[in-house]
Amino acid sequence: MTVDTRDRLLEAALVMIREQGITGLTLDNVAKAARMSKGGLLHHFRSKDALVEALLRQLMDDFEARASQFYQQESERPGRWLRAYVRATFEDEPLPLELSLSLMASVTENAVLMALVRQDFEHWQERLLNDGVPRPRATIIRQAADAYWSERLIGVAPDEPEARLAIRDELLALTEAGHA
Amino acid sequence: MTVDTRDRLLEAALVMIREQGITGLTLDNVAKAARMSKGGLLHHFRSKDALVEALLRQLMDDFEARASQFYQQESERPGRWLRAYVRATFEDEPLPLELSLSLMASVTENAVLMALVRQDFEHWQERLLNDGVPRPRATIIRQAADAYWSERLIGVAPDEPEARLAIRDELLALTEAGHA
Amino acid sequence: MTVDTRDRLLEAALVMIREQGITGLTLDNVAKAARMSKGGLLHHFRSKDALVEALLRQLMDDFEARASQFYQQESERPGRWLRAYVRATFEDEPLPLELSLSLMASVTENAVLMALVRQDFEHWQERLLNDGVPRPRATIIRQAADAYWSERLIGVAPDEPEARLAIRDELLALTEAGHA
Amino acid sequence: MTVDTRDRLLEAALVMIREQGITGLTLDNVAKAARMSKGGLLHHFRSKDALVEALLRQLMDDFEARASQFYQQESERPGRWLRAYVRATFEDEPLPLELSLSLMASVTENAVLMALVRQDFEHWQERLLNDGVPRPRATIIRQAADAYWSERLIGVAPDEPEARLAIRDELLALTEAGHA
DNA sequence: ACTCCCGGGACAACCCGTTAGT
DNA sequence: ACTAACGGGTTGTCCCGGGAGT
């Protein structure tokens, strides 16, 4: 049972970004990494942007799935989605969204892709702002969570397990604490 | 009083990023925007990376200066630097750090530039973590602040004045509030 | 019967060198001379050095073939390879090794290409030094032969048929004459 | 007593070629090596070709001087100049003509420089062909001598002292031996 | 005599996507 | 479904030389 070719290509694209950064994400490279010709790649994705779009969608869907799972396990008190969001973000697991930052930057210049990102952003924003927690507080929590892996990606912040857990727990606490 | 040519070039580079994104930051474009030949540009900055490095340095220095100013005006209670950092970030005026995200992504692939960024990061991190506020809390505050303008840059979050102020004030409050 | 594209490109490269010297050997020129786009050229030769390498290999192989042919026709007395070498060099027809000097100079700066040349050199050197002729004498003969077309290439020495034949015959004689 | 600036520049040019090959011979590099600005360099040599010309002249004059010295010490029998030429070439000393090959290649494309080289060539050719030795033999001797250092320059032939002396002596012998 | 600044042009390498063909 | 060939365009880097100024 062969793996779906499309998935193989997406996987290859991920690898390229991980290993060579956004600059390494060229059709030629991806094709080569998937042991296929560029023509073959373009047969599955009409253009580079189409490839990136598929990549983005996959990452978003993954995160959505992961967060939803945590949501189920979370108590019904206010801040339920926020906590799910925080937990999903701080999971150390596979972390398939490994790249977002670099991807983002490349997304910026394509209106269609930007719309996609913005839409996902708003989708979450709406959920998190109507979660029973004062909006500024909710925003801050989301932002801190987002920044957390942004920084991890750039490799700017050392990733110490204890520190990470402390931050995560502080964020979780902030979803419940009385508001200053 | 002629403006220094180097500064004119730096300024032009900023403009290019602002208007066309990172992709627009080409030597040709910058030179043209500064009404100079590419040869002239390369006389001042030996390579594109040299240009970007100068850009980064300038942005960092600007922010440093701005934050320091707020630091002076801030009370001596714990969290003094954090509050200065938050205020400097949420200022709407100058906003010279316009771009970071896109710049970051391009920086990622050059070790020297990365070192520069990491160094600046650690410089601030040390200051903010030893500011009399519990470290996880301090980190969260910095992260939320950073994310704030990141998002503004991507243009993903609408920038409503009242919302912004609310968030800023919440962050300032968090520098003082009892710790959960 | 379409000529192989690769060969057409190689041929075009030769022409450029012949007509404009090493400086004329630019990707643009070669592509243009072969009536092809630079993109197309780079599809066949990944880099300029790759093109030069192919060129060198072809010239070496040509010479090898030509010399081998003379070798077959040569008597078995000592100096058989030397005589073949001399004859192959002084042939006026094909002269495909047209350029060596200029090529050499450009080769000098690339380690890989240098290795290629050196290898070919040693290959011949071994053959010619173990050909039944005292080694210093053998070396001199090879050197004179090499210099012959080097000079012709630079265009420094007028190419008079009688003179050429006289030199060739003297060299052939030196492969047999009693040794001083 | 400061060394003449012109000479310092010429020396620097030599160094550049020796260390970085012909490609390294740029006005910028030479100027930097001589701790001077490019403008300064161009003040002494109107153009790059002018610099190369001066270089060539110096090398030729050096060789001329060296050969003449040997000529004085040589017996008056036929082949006197040839022997001087051979001795001058095989001297292991300073060898300031260290480069000729690469220089030649760069010279090829400038008619004026070519004329200079050709003139020097003919000057020697005349001397050597009217030296009491049969012309083909004389030519061969010169060619072998020329090739000797050509090969040393390209670094293609290992430079073993005994082998070198053997070749030199064989060449000297050829200037006197009965003709095959 | 020498420096700084700059223009103008070239060149190698890369990259995306189309097309003919299998 | 997939490959090979190719075109057209862009970008970073380099390099030579001229001109203003000291």
Side-chain angles (χ1 to χ4, degrees), chain A residues 64-114:
Chain A
E64 172 77 25
R66 211 135 42 93
S68 291
Q69 207 170 329
F70 279 106
Y71 182 76
Q72 300 305 330
Q73 304 162 6
E74 201 64 46
S75 74
E76 292 196 13
R77 273 168 303 144
R80 188 177 176 186
W81 267 118
L82 272 168
R83 282 187 295 280
Y85 190 90
V86 167
R87 287 192 188 280
T89 301
F90 279 78
E91 236 188 351
D92 51 3
E93 259 318 300
L95 174 92
L97 48 166
E98 196 155 14
L99 34 69
S100 292
L101 211 195
S102 13
L103 254 189
M104 283 315 158
S106 93
V107 159
T108 312
E109 329 221 318
N110 178 313
V112 176
L113 297 183
M114 268 311 293

Side-chain angles (χ1 to χ4, degrees), chain D residues 12-106:
Chain D
L14 253 336
V15 172
M16 285 336 286
I17 299 187
R18 205 171 312 165
E19 295 180 353
Q20 308 192 30
I22 257 296
T23 307
L25 188 70
T26 70
L27 295 183
D28 265 302
N29 278 355
V30 172
K32 202 172 305 168
R35 256 165 297 160
M36 188 183 312
S37 74
K38 184 166 45 175
L41 167 56
L42 282 166
H43 176 72
H44 290 277
F45 302 96
R46 292 184 118 72
S47 71
K48 186 179 180 178
D49 279 342
L51 172 66
V52 173
E53 181 176 336
L55 226 43
L56 272 178
R57 256 186 230 283
Q58 179 180 290
L59 296 178
M60 290 169 174
D61 290 352
D62 276 11
F63 186 79
E64 172 77 26
R66 210 136 41 92
S68 292
Q69 205 171 328
F70 279 107
Y71 182 76
Q72 301 305 332
Q73 304 164 6
E74 201 63 45
S75 75
E76 293 197 10
R77 273 167 302 143
R80 189 177 175 187
W81 267 118
L82 272 169
R83 282 188 294 281
Y85 190 89
V86 167
R87 288 194 188 280
T89 302
F90 279 79
E91 236 189 350
D92 50 5
E93 260 318 301
L95 173 91
L97 49 167
E98 197 155 14
L99 35 69
S100 292
L101 211 194
S102 12
L103 255 190
M104 282 315 157
S106 95

Side-chain angles (χ1 to χ4, degrees), chain C residues 20-23 101 105 109 114 118 121 136-137 139-140 142-144 147-148 151 154-156 166-167 170-171, chain D residues 20-23 101 105 109 114 118 121 137 139-140 142-144 146-148 151 154-156 166-167 170-171:
Chain C
Q20 308 192 28
I22 253 297
T23 307
L101 212 195
E109 328 220 320
M114 269 311 296
R118 191 168 336 215
F121 176 83
R137 172 72 60 95
T139 299
I140 288 171
R142 181 188 53 68
Q143 287 176 334
Y148 164 70
E151 287 168 7
I154 323 194
V156 83
I167 295 172
E170 174 81 2
L171 281 176
Chain D
Q20 308 192 30
I22 257 296
T23 307
L101 211 194
E109 330 222 319
M114 268 311 295
R118 190 165 339 202
F121 176 83
R137 172 70 62 95
T139 300
I140 288 171
R142 181 190 50 70
Q143 287 175 333
D146 287 354
Y148 165 72
E151 287 168 7
I154 324 195
V156 83
I167 294 173
E170 174 82 3
L171 282 176

